[in-house]
Amino acid sequence: WNARYAELFGYPPSLLRVGVDVAALVRHNVDSGLIGAVDVESEVAKRLRHMRAGTPYVAERRLRGGQVIEIRGNPMPGGGFVATFTDVTAFRQTEQALRLSNETLEQRVAERTDSLDLARREAERANLAKTRFLTAVGHDLMQPLHAAQLFTDALSQQLPPTVAPRLRQIRGALDSTSDLLTGLFDMSRLEAGG
């Protein structure tokens, strides 16, 4: 043992001396609540059996001060058992911070995904509304345009031939406007899946 070992587990000075039975050390640790509320004598007996059998083990314990200690037990060649105690508190704190960071990142990704999905649905609704509007406007504009074309045709039959070039220009402008509206109407039907 060393001073750090004695400090970590709060051993009284009388307990850490050459010749003390290892069962007394194990009992001190179990009795101090190191592994929780358990039957002390059965836990001491279990740990002594593991040592005598030479069973290697790795365990972590959280001490009262919040420190996390990794305990590794290994049999020694020719008999005996050695245990090492490593303070892994900083490692576990870093690991916990990374876990929390990952959870936060996953939560942010989920929130952004939900936000993007909502924006996509809103854009689809707006696009559908635009398509309906264009369809309605196209239809409403085509009716008076067709009426104007019919009037120019009727006028061309009633007016003198000297006015015919002007009527052809009016009819050409109406036809061009009709073609543009038909194209707009076709686009709105395509967007609507028609």
Side-chain angles (χ1 to χ4, degrees), residues 5-31:
Y5 175 71
E7 179 186 319
L8 277 175
F9 294 100
Y11 290 111
S14 62
L15 197 55
L16 288 180
R17 57 182 169 73
V18 175
V20 169
D21 187 358
V22 73
L25 298 172
V26 173
R27 186 173 289 106
H28 171 80
N29 290 342
V30 173
D31 200 30

Side-chain angles (χ1 to χ4, degrees), residues 1 52 76 89 117 163:
W1 69 88
R52 287 184 188 117
M76 291 176 51
T89 307
D117 192 42
V163 185

Side-chain angles (χ1 to χ4, degrees), residues 24-82:
L25 298 172
V26 173
R27 186 173 289 106
H28 171 80
N29 290 342
V30 173
D31 200 30
S32 69
L34 184 63
I35 60 172
V38 295
D39 177 39
V40 174
E41 291 309 313
S42 73
E43 286 298 321
V44 169
K46 179 173 85 174
R47 280 163 173 66
L48 290 176
R49 278 193 308 274
H50 283 286
M51 283 184 216
R52 287 184 188 117
T55 308
Y57 68 90
V58 176
E60 277 190 13
R61 299 287 181 240
R62 183 173 294 277
L63 303 181
R64 284 189 184 96
Q67 289 174 299
V68 181
I69 305 299
E70 179 185 78
I71 306 167
R72 289 182 178 270
N74 288 296
M76 291 176 51
F81 203 81
V82 65

